[in-house]
Amino acid sequence: MTSFDSAYTDILHRARDAAKRAGSVVRVLAVSKTKPPEAIRSLAELGQRAFGENYVQEAIVKQRELTDLSLEWHLIGPLQSNKCRDVAQHFDWLQSLDRAKLIPLLDRAREGKPPLEVLIQVNIDDETSKSGCVPADLPALADTVAEASNLRLRGLMAIPEPTPDRDRRRTAFARMRVLFEALTKGHSEVDTLSMGMSEDFELAIAEGATLVRIGTALFGARA
Ligand SMILES: *Cc1c(COP(=O)(O)O)cnc(C)c1O
């Protein structure tokens, strides 16, 4: 058994148990930023299909070495307008959309391909972070994504402020769930709430996450 093998099995079991307790189903996104293509390949051989990357250029370089695999690529890092074209061409999911200005750029660059699956990133409690829209801007942003013909609105993503205070994290996750449930009412295609990382994914699942983003617990610490 490789080290990946036991880490992967452990994470899948823990995620599935947490989902069972919550009465839900959850998917695991393997966050492979800074990790080499061989590490991605090893995990893919165990059955993992969805991989998350933070940096567009780094992801494209790795993707070139993995074209023989049928993987699903998610951008989870901040997006600049000059990268919209590359994201629309090279990714299946964008989890970090946070402003309206990017929507027409992405929409145009995605022409002729299957719709780009989009999550809107919400800044739920981290005043020090500039990423994510404020909750008040969410309804208008969601409507604009839903109207773009080459984008498909699938839900929300959040990175709560890193804090050892579990009650605080839980509160942030619970607030995301409220926003998510409100969003599903007006948008029938919305089915994905992306929250929870290596340290807190079980807590996130208990509060309604349907997609957890796991890096360190799968691949080991990043340099
Ligand atoms: C790096 C990263 C993760 C994974 O974090 P781990 O603590 O290593 O599991 C998840 N989501 C985002 C947005 C990240 O940047």
Side-chain angles (χ1 to χ4, degrees):
M1 220 163 61
T2 66
S3 59
F4 279 144
D5 206 332
S6 52
Y8 187 56
T9 309
D10 175 58
I11 293 295
L12 289 187
H13 276 128
R14 286 168 59 196
R16 200 170 42 202
D17 285 350
K20 204 180 286 171
R21 287 193 296 274
S24 65
V25 176
V26 72
R27 269 215 307 159
V28 171
L29 178 74
V31 175
S32 46
K33 62 176 174 228
T34 80
K35 299 297 174 184
E38 303 78 66
I40 296 172
R41 186 174 292 281
S42 301
L43 214 53
E45 278 163 8
L46 299 175
Q48 179 66 23
R49 232 190 117 230
F51 290 86
E53 290 280 342
N54 288 59
Y55 308 102
V56 176
Q57 236 32 60
E58 178 190 333
I60 292 175
V61 169
K62 292 189 225 175
Q63 287 170 356
R64 279 199 203 109
E65 300 195 32
L66 299 164
T67 50
D68 57 311
L69 303 174
S70 156
L71 302 180
E72 180 185 291
W73 293 97
H74 295 230
L75 185 74
I76 61 173
L79 175 57
Q80 277 128 32
S81 50
N82 65 353
K83 296 285 183 207
C84 282
R85 173 150 210 96
D86 280 338
V87 171
Q89 293 294 319
H90 295 277
F91 286 83
D92 304 293
W93 287 67
L94 168 63
Q95 296 205 7
S96 49
L97 184 80
D98 64 358
R99 56 201 190 280
K101 191 181 113 180
L102 306 179
I103 295 171
L105 302 174
L106 291 161
D107 190 36
R108 234 173 292 140
R110 191 70 179 185
E111 192 79 54
K113 288 170 82 82
L116 180 67
E117 313 289 357
V118 173
L119 303 182
I120 297 174
Q121 184 178 349
V122 181
N123 187 337
I124 197 67
D125 72 347
D126 192 346
E127 272 123 50
T128 64
S129 164
K130 289 192 283 297
S131 302
C133 73
V134 297
D137 290 346
L138 186 53
L141 204 46
D143 288 344
T144 311
V145 174
E147 282 159 18
S149 42
N150 302 304
L151 310 181
R152 180 154 56 203
L153 179 68
R154 294 294 295 272
L156 303 178
M157 185 271 255
I159 313 170
E161 186 183 5
T163 161
D165 181 346
R166 286 181 74 80
D167 284 341
R168 235 193 115 165
R169 286 200 211 189
R170 184 184 281 279
T171 303
F173 291 145
R175 287 171 63 208
M176 283 303 299
R177 174 189 219 147
V178 171
L179 294 176
F180 177 70
E181 280 171 0
L183 188 67
T184 58
K185 300 231 156 64
H187 296 277
S188 58
E189 290 177 319
V190 164
D191 60 1
T192 303
L193 179 54
S194 169
M195 58 187 194
M197 318 200 293
S198 293
E199 287 293 311
D200 57 12
F201 70 93
E202 287 155 306
L203 188 60
I205 294 168
E207 294 296 338
T210 69
L211 182 66
V212 292
R213 309 178 306 265
I214 316 279
T216 309
L218 283 175
F219 291 107
R222 287 178 293 273

